[in-house]
Amino acid sequence: MKIFSKLMLAICLINTIITQAQNYPQNYFRNPLNIPMQLAANFGVVRTNHFHMGLDLRTNSQENLPVFAAAEGYVSRIKIERYGFGNAIYITHPNGYTTVYAHLNKYFDQLDEYVKEKQYKDEKWEQDIIFSPNQFPVSKGQLIALSGNTGGSAGPHLHFEIRDTKTEECLNPLLFGFTIPDHIAPIISGLYWYDRRFSTYEPGANGIAVKKMGSVYSADIVKVNSPMVSFAIKAVDKADQGFNLGIYHTELLMDGKLIYGFSIDKVSYDDTRYINGCIDYSKFIRDKMGIQHLSTLPGMKLQGYSIPNLSGIINLNDEEVHNIEIILKDVNGNTSRLTTKVQLSNGVNKISSSNNTVTPNEAKTMTTENAEINLSKNTVYDAVNFNMYEKTDAEMNSVSNAIVLASPYIPVQNEYTLKIKPNRKLTTDEKGKVVVELNYGSDVNTVKGKWSGDRVEAQFNRLGTAKLLVDNTLPSVSASWKENAQINSSSIRLKGSTRIGDIVSFRAELDGKWLRFARVKDDFVYQFDEKCPKSSGAHTLKVVTGNTAGNINTQIFTFQR
């Protein structure tokens, strides 16, 4: 009977995946490249503060490969930005879907010329343009762009998405029948359990050694000292090319009964930050480990991800041994299984609570002598012992104590408001140059903020250590050529720099007229065009930059062409 039950469960799981795929048109969309589809990342793989929302298609480590429309439709939008997608095209199709192609170097000629003219007309490089259906219609297989490495890309590739045009939800492209060789089942490398009487953050994950014999994964009996526990899994999927991909589908069973499961079929950009409630965020940020919960955290509200009414939290009401089975599947049905047992031990430990605990669905205001934080509802995913305090800061430009906000290893869903009082009286000029800096370990985020009474107010969506700085320094750009030098290359690059914060404004004028520079990370690049042809003689380039604090710098460069 037990073998029969497992067989029926396996059949049901396979049928579920097949049925899901049949909800979408099969083979309607073509490969947007003219080389075989190879994945560098799939839909749903864990990224910092978001799920990966499409497929990253390998371009053989090259740029400028031709990119083709996956189906007939029309160019409905283009977007040009410093980070994110870089240069992107959106094509809306008559069957209710929109495809997105990102990190491009160049659009097809007619579109590229249209965008360039608009940039010069607007005197603005960044663009977000919406088109009508009759402006740029495309046929299936039509050349639409050249691939690249623009925006937030870490290497040449094509990011490809399929969205529901009406809802704008991103859908898993692998459910649309693309042929990508995959005969490899998900690979399990770790199992963890959590004491769910309080929080997954404290005391945190308890590691369990995983063994593999043949194609079967197992772990020794898990003896726990809490009557309420949950599990999490560390695993990756692989296609035949060998890149580490994200897990598509999981099931958790106790004593043969399904108690949790998730499938990553669709996610909207409005909800993608909820990934922080699906993973062990602390492990991901601190140790770069992708551990996914096989349970629902109380503040995780992502719809359509996990099976409704199944929390994954295990209540052990006895000291009997209970069977645990974890099933992982990819879109092609390749399956891995891990079996273990769980038992409540005799000695149940106690966990003390804190007066500073912040819980999901609770708005809370916390204060120190010189700071205040306002947390809205739905800010945290699980209970947080929110330790907030001040300490002196010795940085030369600092004009406040450093305000420690819990830990950078605790995630938040919504932005919070922070107010900080300076530790001395500031002049009017200094007040205008105050910025708020948040250090969250791996990086810093610096914003202008605004004055609210005698405090400076700012919004952030990460925790860490914050302080006020007065910035009187100028931003600048540096050129790679000497003054009045002859330039024979196809482009020029200006390297941007500012001591605190970022360069937030940039304007270049060639001989008094606006010139189109693209923002490439911290630098600015101009590709020579008809605005500055060869043999056009001596030129004056005026560059005006502004930083986060509002300091403005004007620089003059000369060159010959």
Side-chain angles (χ1 to χ4, degrees):
M1 180 63 70
K2 185 177 292 187
I3 295 175
F4 177 76
S5 298
K6 289 188 176 183
L7 178 61
M8 290 303 296
L9 177 61
I11 293 172
C12 289
L13 293 177
I14 292 172
N15 286 339
T16 298
I17 294 174
I18 293 173
T19 300
Q20 184 62 53
Q22 289 174 343
N23 290 335
Y24 303 110
Q26 301 298 290
N27 305 312
Y28 180 89
F29 297 109
R30 61 154 282 174
N31 176 359
L33 299 172
N34 260 0
I35 59 175
M37 294 181 80
Q38 294 187 350
L39 299 181
N42 64 339
F43 184 83
V45 68
V46 176
R47 295 286 175 84
T48 301
N49 294 314
H50 69 282
F51 290 100
H52 188 247
M53 304 289 272
L55 304 180
D56 278 353
L57 302 178
R58 297 176 62 190
T59 57
N60 295 333
S61 301
Q62 300 176 39
E63 297 184 31
N64 298 316
L65 266 61
V67 179
F68 304 95
E72 69 168 320
Y74 69 96
V75 176
S76 53
R77 181 185 184 188
I78 69 96
K79 195 171 185 182
I80 299 173
E81 57 188 345
R82 174 186 179 187
Y83 290 120
F85 282 170
N87 302 327
I89 287 182
Y90 300 66
I91 296 179
T92 296
H93 306 281
N95 66 342
Y97 298 101
T98 296
T99 51
V100 183
Y101 315 74
H103 307 309
L104 306 169
N105 273 352
K106 187 179 185 294
Y107 304 122
F108 65 92
D109 289 345
Q110 299 95 319
L111 180 60
D112 206 60
E113 187 62 28
Y114 179 98
V115 171
K116 179 180 176 181
E117 288 180 5
K118 192 170 191 308
Q119 288 172 316
Y120 272 103
K121 180 182 177 181
D122 297 345
E123 297 188 349
K124 182 181 179 182
W125 169 71
E126 287 193 318
Q127 294 286 329
D128 190 352
I129 307 172
I130 304 298
F131 298 100
S132 62
N134 60 350
Q135 284 184 274
F136 292 103
V138 297
S139 57
K140 186 174 184 176
Q142 179 179 325
L143 177 70
I144 57 170
L146 299 179
S147 70
N149 186 31
T150 58
S153 173
H157 73 282
L158 175 68
H159 177 84
F160 176 68
E161 293 182 3
I162 300 178
R163 299 185 183 182
D164 183 307
T165 302
K166 186 176 181 179
T167 66
E168 295 189 347
E169 287 179 309
C170 291
L171 309 172
N172 191 336
L174 296 181
L175 299 173
F176 286 78
F178 291 107
T179 302
I180 301 176
D182 182 1
H183 302 88
I184 303 173
I187 298 169
I188 302 171
S189 58
L191 180 64
Y192 302 83
W193 71 270
Y194 299 78
D195 186 337
R196 295 302 295 271
R197 291 173 298 171
F198 182 57
S199 170
T200 54
Y201 305 129
E202 295 177 293
N206 299 276
I208 305 161
V210 172
K211 300 173 286 186
K212 183 182 181 184
M213 294 187 63
S215 60
V216 178
Y217 295 88
S218 64
D220 292 336
I221 185 169
V222 183
K223 294 194 174 184
V224 299
N225 52 12
S226 167
M228 185 183 297
V229 299
S230 65
F231 284 99
I233 195 83
K234 181 186 176 187
V236 296
D237 191 24
K238 286 182 181 290
D240 289 358
Q241 299 94 12
F243 272 73
N244 287 344
L245 307 175
I247 298 301
Y248 167 65
H249 180 87
T250 68
E251 303 265 345
L252 171 65
L253 298 93
M254 186 172 80
D255 297 332
K257 182 180 179 181
L258 183 67
I259 61 172
Y260 183 79
F262 72 75
S263 295
I264 186 72
D265 295 321
K266 59 184 179 180
V267 182
S268 72
Y269 272 96
D270 289 340
D271 291 337
T272 190
R273 192 176 177 87
Y274 276 117
I275 191 172
N276 293 331
C278 302
I279 63 172
D280 188 321
Y281 183 87
S282 300
K283 288 283 189 182
F284 183 75
I285 298 298
R286 181 187 285 116
D287 304 321
K288 309 303 179 187
M289 294 172 59
I291 298 172
Q292 292 181 260
H293 285 297
L294 299 177
S295 66
T296 300
L297 300 191
M300 208 293 285
K301 302 182 185 301
L302 179 60
Q303 299 296 313
Y305 173 76
S306 57
I307 299 173
N309 304 317
L310 296 180
S311 70
I313 296 176
I314 298 172
N315 292 290
L316 297 171
N317 299 315
D318 54 47
E319 295 181 8
E320 299 296 321
V321 175
H322 296 276
N323 295 313
I324 297 294
E325 183 174 18
I326 298 168
I327 301 169
L328 279 63
K329 284 181 177 287
D330 62 26
V331 171
N332 289 336
N334 298 305
T335 304
S336 294
R337 285 181 170 80
L338 184 151
T339 58
T340 186
K341 299 177 186 296
V342 63
Q343 182 182 30
L344 179 63
S345 63
N346 289 325
V348 176
N349 71 342
K350 296 182 180 180
I351 296 179
S352 59
S353 60
S354 166
N355 292 330
N356 293 330
T357 299
V358 178
T359 59
N361 307 311
E362 172 194 26
K364 195 161 188 174
T365 297
M366 305 182 72
T367 62
T368 60
E369 182 180 356
N370 297 293
E372 174 182 297
I373 187 171
N374 294 287
L375 303 169
S376 65
K377 278 189 173 183
N378 305 321
T379 297
V380 297
Y381 305 97
D382 206 348
V384 176
N385 181 17
F386 206 100
N387 189 17
M388 177 180 177
Y389 62 93
E390 300 183 27
K391 61 181 182 180
T392 57
D393 188 84
E395 185 174 345
M396 180 177 62
N397 297 90
S398 178
V399 291
S400 77
N401 288 340
I403 313 300
V404 178
L405 306 170
S407 164
Y409 305 119
I410 301 295
V412 294
Q413 173 69 18
N414 297 338
E415 283 190 338
Y416 59 85
T417 298
L418 177 67
K419 297 178 182 180
I420 303 177
K421 183 179 179 180
N423 57 12
R424 65 175 176 82
K425 187 174 181 179
L426 303 181
T427 67
T428 301
D429 183 64
E430 285 178 322
K431 281 187 174 183
K433 299 297 174 64
V434 168
V435 297
V436 188
E437 180 186 271
L438 176 74
N439 186 317
Y440 48 87
S442 59
D443 205 350
V444 297
N445 184 17
T446 306
V447 301
K448 177 67 172 173
K450 65 179 182 179
W451 284 92
S452 176
D454 62 350
R455 301 187 179 202
V456 181
E457 177 181 308
Q459 284 75 43
F460 296 103
N461 62 5
R462 298 186 76 160
L463 298 175
T465 300
K467 61 186 174 183
L468 302 182
L469 301 171
V470 171
D471 181 16
N472 289 305
T473 62
L474 295 177
S476 65
V477 293
S478 57
S480 59
W481 68 90
K482 294 181 179 180
E483 286 302 299
N484 208 35
Q486 181 80 29
I487 297 179
N488 297 312
S489 60
S490 62
S491 65
I492 55 177
R493 179 182 289 261
L494 299 173
K495 186 173 182 60
S497 176
T498 188
R499 202 181 76 80
I500 297 173
D502 193 12
I503 295 178
V504 297
S505 65
F506 173 93
R507 181 180 176 85
E509 294 180 357
L510 184 70
D511 304 326
K513 294 184 178 180
W514 185 84
L515 197 63
R516 183 182 68 160
F517 273 79
R519 187 77 183 261
V520 182
K521 306 297 190 289
D522 292 326
D523 297 346
F524 303 86
V525 178
Y526 166 63
Q527 298 286 340
F528 282 107
D529 57 13
E530 72 279 3
K531 307 295 182 182
C532 188
K534 285 187 176 181
S535 305
S536 54
H539 296 283
T540 298
L541 180 66
K542 176 183 175 182
V543 177
V544 181
T545 52
N547 64 10
T548 304
N551 300 302
I552 304 296
N553 189 19
T554 300
Q555 297 170 265
I556 303 295
F557 304 90
T558 59
F559 65 88
Q560 297 189 44
R561 176 76 170 145

